[in-house]
């Protein structure tokens, strides 16, 4: 038997073993709210670091990614443990993003800072409303991304 045939048989055996362990076919991975929120936190931090460095192209990219992720969360997890996640994102978190987009477009550092702080306050308001007041978001004091520069090119 050729190597590719052996690899195929080994792969099928692994799938069969995984299915037999639970008696159910393996289901595709579906991230929970916390996994999505880790992405939100990352984009939030990178957005601040880029805007604070006046790297408007990177800030524009990060705010777009953040907005897209929040919209995905609102669709995928409209409710979580009795908390209306989707409506809170749409009504509380997304409006300040429009202000950030405007500040980035006009390359206005002062407006960016104010809008970013409004977004951060909105995040914390959602955490309070979701009975998670211990999750407090703030401006990053330092970069948690030592392998990325935020200075404009």
């Amino acid at each position: 038997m050729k190597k590719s045939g052996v690899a195929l048989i080994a792969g099928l055996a692994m799938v069969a073993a995984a299915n037999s362990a639970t008696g159910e076919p393996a289901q595709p991975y579906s991230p929970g709210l916390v996994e999505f929120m880790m992405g939100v936190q990352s984009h939030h931090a990178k957005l601040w670091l880029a805007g604070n460095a006046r790297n408007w192209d990177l800030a524009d990219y990060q705010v777009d990614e953040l907005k897209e992720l929040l919209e995905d969360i609102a669709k995928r997890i409209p409710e979580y443990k009795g908390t209306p996640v989707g409506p809170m994102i749409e009504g509380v978190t997304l409006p300040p993003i429009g202000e950030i987009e405007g500040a980035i477009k006009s390359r206005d550092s002062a407006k960016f800072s104010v809008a970013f702080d409004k977004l951060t306050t909105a995040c914390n308001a959602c955490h309070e409303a979701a009975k998670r007041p211990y999750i407090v978001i703030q401006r990053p004091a330092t970069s948690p991304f030592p392998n990325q520069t935020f200075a404009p090119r």
Side-chain angles (χ1 to χ4, degrees):
M1 185 179 293
K2 292 183 179 181
K3 283 186 181 183
S4 62
V6 172
L8 176 62
I9 291 171
L12 291 173
M14 287 175 31
V15 170
N19 287 344
S20 66
T22 62
E24 299 285 325
Q27 297 297 313
Y29 174 70
S30 179
L33 184 59
V34 72
E35 285 86 7
F36 284 119
M37 286 300 170
M38 293 298 291
V40 168
Q41 188 173 5
S42 176
H43 289 303
H44 178 268
K46 286 185 172 195
L47 174 60
W48 171 255
L49 294 167
N52 191 48
R54 294 185 171 110
N55 186 341
W56 300 118
D57 291 335
L58 181 56
D60 186 53
Y61 172 78
Q62 287 300 328
V63 77
D64 187 57
E65 291 298 309
L66 177 60
K67 183 178 178 181
E68 187 177 293
L69 180 54
L70 287 167
E71 289 169 344
D72 284 348
I73 294 168
K75 289 177 194 163
R76 290 174 178 254
I77 307 175
E79 187 272 335
Y80 178 77
K81 295 184 179 184
T83 299
V85 174
M88 286 193 329
I89 286 172
E90 292 168 358
V92 179
T93 310
L94 289 178
I97 288 178
E99 290 183 45
I100 292 172
E101 290 170 326
I104 291 168
K105 186 175 224 160
S106 65
R107 298 180 174 327
D108 187 320
S109 293
K111 285 182 183 177
F112 175 83
S113 294
V114 169
F116 185 87
D117 289 344
K118 284 182 183 180
L119 172 63
T120 304
T121 298
C123 291
N124 290 323
C126 283
H127 297 155
E128 288 276 342
K131 298 179 179 69
R132 307 281 188 289
Y134 44 85
I135 301 173
V136 181
I137 305 302
Q138 64 182 15
R139 285 182 184 179
T142 60
S143 175
F145 307 99
N147 61 337
Q148 182 175 358
T149 182
F150 290 89
R153 296 186 105 197

